[in-house]
Amino acid sequence: MIPGVRLVVLGKQGAGKGTQCVRLSHHYVVPHVSTGDMLRSEVKSRTSLGQRAQSLMEQGELIPDDMVMEMVGARLSERDTTGRGFVLDGCPRTTRQAEALEKIVEPFGLDLVIDLQVPTPLVMKRLASRRVCVDCGANYSTAAPPLVNWTCDVCGGEVIQREDDTEEAIGRRLNLYEEETEPLLSWYKERRLLTEINGTGSPDAVTRRVVGAIDALRRQLKDRGDP
Ligand code: ADP
């Protein structure tokens, strides 16, 4: 089997992208590249990008395409991602970002774009109870908290409610997803890269569906003799 994979995961806020992308990156042994995590780390380190991004993120607005794609371009040209691939989470979010990404990943292109589908009332419920580790981005919820005192089970970091998980910012992000990101689904469908996956049910069940879809595609490519 060909090592690595070049994967984009799309889905509205609360669809479970973060959780699934961490699992997929372990399964295929490729880096998890999350634009949200990268931007939160820029904010935390008070870099100039972080300072420009902070208030936009708190309000649930998008960061300008050029700023995000410069950051993504730099990350995807590092040796680990050019060598084995990546699981890209949170990008692209606009058609301009998808066009820029197409250029960044030339000449290999993407293997697959997953659309993780979850109905809006369910994502609203998930987001209201979502808690995340400030250090490694691991996801928890009020129903499934870390084992000890809101301390991350994975890295020992502090587990908090994200500043942009307020009702107002969630509403804004969901509207932006509909306006800016949903058009990308047909953009990728036209390019025969899109696979729709039901994102409801347990995290394990969703992972099995996603891995099943990716492995089926890789078998097809192998049978066709593609590299
Ligand atoms: P969510 O999917 O819940 O909005 P993310 O962690 O993916 O969470 O992103 C958090 C915030 O970071 C977004 O609301 C936006 O302000 C910014 N952001 C992340 N990725 C992008 C992107 N590709 N383009 C523009 N802004 C982005």
Side-chain angles (χ1 to χ4, degrees):
M1 184 66 72
I2 327 148
V5 69
R6 292 181 162 71
L7 192 68
V8 163
V9 181
L10 299 176
K12 31 175 115 81
Q13 288 69 20
K17 289 190 302 288
T19 304
Q20 294 302 325
C21 286
V22 169
R23 288 160 169 245
L24 293 170
S25 83
H26 291 162
H27 186 88
Y28 294 104
V29 200
V30 293
H32 170 208
V33 178
S34 155
T35 49
D37 287 352
M38 288 162 80
L39 288 165
R40 277 185 286 279
S41 148
E42 299 279 341
V43 170
K44 208 174 155 200
S45 312
R46 302 197 54 75
T47 62
S48 69
L49 169 58
Q51 289 181 28
R52 279 178 290 161
Q54 183 166 16
S55 67
L56 289 170
M57 291 175 74
E58 280 168 9
Q59 290 158 38
E61 297 296 335
L62 291 180
I63 308 308
D65 292 332
D66 295 347
M67 271 163 73
V68 174
M69 294 319 291
E70 196 180 318
M71 180 180 82
V72 170
R75 180 65 189 90
L76 295 190
S77 51
E78 283 175 30
R79 197 142 30 126
D80 55 349
T81 46
T82 52
R84 287 191 56 81
F86 48 83
V87 178
L88 186 54
D89 167 6
C91 178
R93 259 169 151 99
T94 64
T95 309
R96 277 193 64 210
Q97 292 185 16
E99 286 163 357
L101 179 64
E102 206 171 36
K103 296 214 171 72
I104 292 169
V105 297
E106 268 170 1
F108 302 108
L110 298 168
D111 294 325
L112 193 64
V113 177
I114 303 276
D115 175 27
L116 214 49
Q117 298 183 327
V118 177
T120 301
L122 181 55
V123 300
M124 297 292 286
K125 216 170 124 199
R126 285 183 180 176
L127 289 169
S129 74
R130 168 160 85 176
R131 300 293 181 270
V132 293
C133 170
V134 281
D135 290 331
C136 74
N139 274 290
Y140 299 92
S141 71
T142 47
L147 295 173
V148 186
N149 269 343
W150 297 100
T151 301
C152 180
D153 297 340
V154 181
C155 76
E158 188 191 359
V159 175
I160 56 148
Q161 178 163 35
R162 266 171 47 175
E163 306 231 3
D164 58 351
D165 276 348
T166 59
E167 210 173 302
E168 228 180 338
I170 290 171
R172 179 67 187 138
R173 272 146 65 217
L174 285 169
N175 283 341
L176 277 172
Y177 187 82
E178 208 173 289
E179 288 161 21
E180 301 279 0
T181 312
E182 270 179 6
L184 283 182
L185 301 178
S186 34
W187 199 86
Y188 279 123
K189 217 177 242 173
E190 280 162 23
R191 285 160 180 76
R192 298 179 171 277
L193 283 170
L194 192 78
T195 295
E196 293 166 346
I197 302 278
N198 172 1
T200 62
S202 72
D204 285 350
V206 178
T207 307
R208 277 195 296 276
R209 285 176 211 138
V210 181
V211 168
I214 297 170
D215 288 350
L217 174 90
R218 281 150 58 100
R219 274 195 300 277
Q220 267 175 33
L221 293 177
K222 197 171 167 225
D223 292 347
R224 273 199 344 225
D226 287 9

